[in-house]
Amino acid sequence: MTREEAGTEGETTTERTGATRWLGPTAPTRWLERHAITLLGVATALVLAVVFYYPVLTVFADAVRVGGAWTVEVVRDVLTDPFYFGVLAPIFGGEFGAISELAAESPLGLFGFTAYQALLSTIASVLLGLPGAYVLSRYEFPGRRTLRSLTILPFVLPSIMVAIGFVAFFGTNGPLNAVLTALGLGPVNLLFTLEAIVVAHAFYNAPLVARVTTAAWESVDARMVETARSLGANPWYAFRTVLAPQLLPAVLTGALLTFVFTFMSFPIVLALGGFQLATVEVWVYSLVQELEYAEAATLAVAETVVSLALTYAYLRYEARESGGGRAANPPPRKRLLPENPSPLAALERVGVAAYAAVVAVVFVGPIASMVAESVTGPSGFTLQYYEFLVQRQVEGASFQTKPGVAVRNSLVFGVATLLVALPMGVTVSVLTARGGRGTRLADAAAMAPLAVSGVVVGLGMLRGLVFGVELWGHRLQVTGPVAIVAAHGVAAYPFVVRNVAPLLGGVDRSVVESARALGATRVRALLDVELPLVASGVAAGAAFAFAISIGEFDSTVILATGSSSYTMPVAVERYIGNRTLGPATAMGTVLLAVTSLSFVVVDRLGGRWEA
Amino acid sequence: MKRRTLLKHGGTATIVGLAGCTGGGSGGQETTTDETATTGETTTEATATETTEETETTTEASLSGTLKVATYSSFVDAPSSSPGGWLKQEFENRHPDVTVKYETPENEVNHYIQQAAQGVSIDTDVYVGMNVDHLIRIDEKLGQKSLFAPVADRLSHYGHVKDGLNFDPQQRAVPYDTGYISLVYDESKIQKQPETFQDLLKERYSGDLIVQNAKTAATGRAFLLWTVNTLGEDQYLDYWQKLKENGIKMLGSWSDAYTAYENGEAPMVVSYSTDQVYAHRQDKDLTKHRVGFLNDQGYANPEGMAKFAGTDKPELAEAFMDFMLSKQAQKQIAQLNVQYPATDWAPLGAEFKKYAKEPANPVTFTYEELQGNLDGWVDSWARQIAGGR
């Protein structure tokens, strides 16, 4: 049975069983069903308010409230500082005379440089991600599903591990240079440059672009392409006019997310670029370390304004583009060895092989180097770092980090996050799926967890949740596992939204409307009709939610203060020893193994539902 | 053996009382404690015995309960070695009714400064692992609110702390170990080691040095302060501009920098003068871990401990801090944390004596010299370096 047939059959069965269920429920259940979306919406808003908006706004308030008094002085100082804003600073300050001088000396400023490197990183990520999406969605080969599950892996790797892998692989004495030297291409110095930052950002974000685009490519309507072809369009014209518009929203989602992430990048910049290439977020981080909240908050607000403005612009675009009803009906996949050999088919396979080589260098190389570090001691091969993990698990004191506990916590939090983020994300998708300008604003507000600097979120949580709020003489604190899951859920659900909402917008309204006309509640129509149609997006969102939870570091560390709620990335960080990365890389390898396995499982479970 | 520990406790208790009477005079006190230390085990034994019985019982009885000690995570949880476990076990052995509980908040001292600033009550008793920057930040941010209480005079072993290492004029922070910032270089790549700061600007060292970001890494900050100390406030920015033009690499943390150094990205790195102790323990090639001082100096970076002002167990906190300064603990902290002891009486092993290098002229800024200047120096430096220019 081909995938296509399975898809259609699945659809009809769900609709049929759905129809019988619509007659069933008793009165209270029906009330709950009818109001389910509203209730979920209220719950989502509450979680957002407690775990995100309240903490972050307390930090942002620092920008205009200094020492108990309201002031705009700090904001003005920051905005008119050429170090931050380059030529924009005199414009903000109204001193137009200074523009030409600054344009010659430091035209970009810290913000300009940050945006510049984010732009380069985004271009690199899209260029590297799109061919991946093409191969994964258009080719059939053994291990394709597994490979697709693993595309999300780079996304969860702690930056410290990525940095270790990059330094080892791209380094002066690394394997890449060894190969290049053997080929007579001479050693290249890749580290501590802008290029290193861009490649590392692509390492993180190209899989994101690939993943989101693959989901869209798998739900395109091939019949439209066939119609175009039968009307005489050549393949390129058919692609440009029929297929590209169906993929563009997904590509732009990937590009937008990449830009926002790399705009706020900081651990990679610190570890691989060097302080000469500092970004705004590096600056915010050090200001927070120095407890200079007013200046840090002002910079963070400025960062957020940039990211949210982009998000808003994108959402308006997305709303314009979607709405054309279509059914998922992807074309059949090609084989790696062409059935009908032709020069064009051969050329395409050469391209795929070249792409595979690039993937091996950028993705496999650093990860393999990191794993290799975990079994290499000062005098060659060793298992001593894994012995350390076992020993720590068996003998570790209560105040020390045990690997087994970290693995268990990561998995439990990951699953719990999935259960929190999926309903939240789907609810927000439904609530904002259609509507006017107001909805776009609400959507942008719901996307804010992506657009706010991680440093600020962490600080806000510390001051708002961990220290607690004084209410009616009691100090209310929110910490521990529940708070961690809530925080992970808030960080993760925007990914569910961005994977589900565009597809949901594309679902044929008449199908939903006929279900409603037959007496189905809104939530019933959603569960039985719409979600199965956008299953690939829901599965991608679920994988992201799980991934975000596994990889999350900042809020986990803060909310787990003084408890045993640490996760695998936290353990990696804590195992960095004086002059030895061995135990950290061993723990990193454990993280790699556990998450790879979980992604395959999450994807298979999601995929089962998908088919 | 049991009797010997009893005697020591007796002695300690007596001196605590004595120190309390004499007050701040560290000079005079130093000789007193010195004598007790060297002669204590033979001649003073007889005199101490008389007081032992009653003081011992009172000390033991008063020392009970849970002591909360906050510190940075690698002090208790480093995979290589860390002193936290030993200190807890040994202190609990000496005081069977006491439990030591460690806390390692991610943002370290800042965690408590923020709590104090927001009026949240702190139930931690001792902080281990602060430096002079933290103290300045505490005093700047909290003003009249006191986070830590002066404690030095109440510690019987305080007199053993080396003179140059005390960094808190208010005697809240008590040094327990120190590192000297120096260069570490690979002899096979650096034929002639740089001997002065000016040497580093030479063409032959172009691209050879990895330093840490002074905004985020303690070693990087110490190296920056060293240049301010040696070259002067008016010259250091020019010097850094030239260093930058000579291709220094500047990474975020000591760990990032050291990893890059070990991978051969550059033949010199800013690190600690105890580097060879580690290298030796891990059987590394020592020629790749040469310690080099500039201008025969090394920047001293003492680490201190302090008692929280709001603690409800002041005696227990003081007993723990005094224990940290004891001969045996000083030896263990030095070896496990691979730093120099802060006192003059730690019996260091042969390994340490052979491989740890002490600069001829240790330099450091005092609290007074840094106060009001530190932020400005670091900020000007950061603006000079950063932003992709």
Side-chain angles (χ1 to χ4, degrees), chain B residues 86 120 208 236 330:
Chain B
W86 183 89
V120 181
D208 278 357
Y236 83 101
Q330 280 290 297

Side-chain angles (χ1 to χ4, degrees), chain A residues 172-173, chain B residues 189 259-267:
Chain A
T172 311
N173 301 323
Chain B
K189 302 254 173 62
T259 308
Y261 169 72
E262 287 210 290
N263 281 312
E265 292 307 325

Side-chain angles (χ1 to χ4, degrees), chain A residues 67 171 176 228 326 359 437 448 467 516 573:
Chain A
L176 184 69
R326 63 169 196 258
V359 166
R437 186 165 299 182
F467 294 168
R516 297 293 306 268
E573 177 89 14

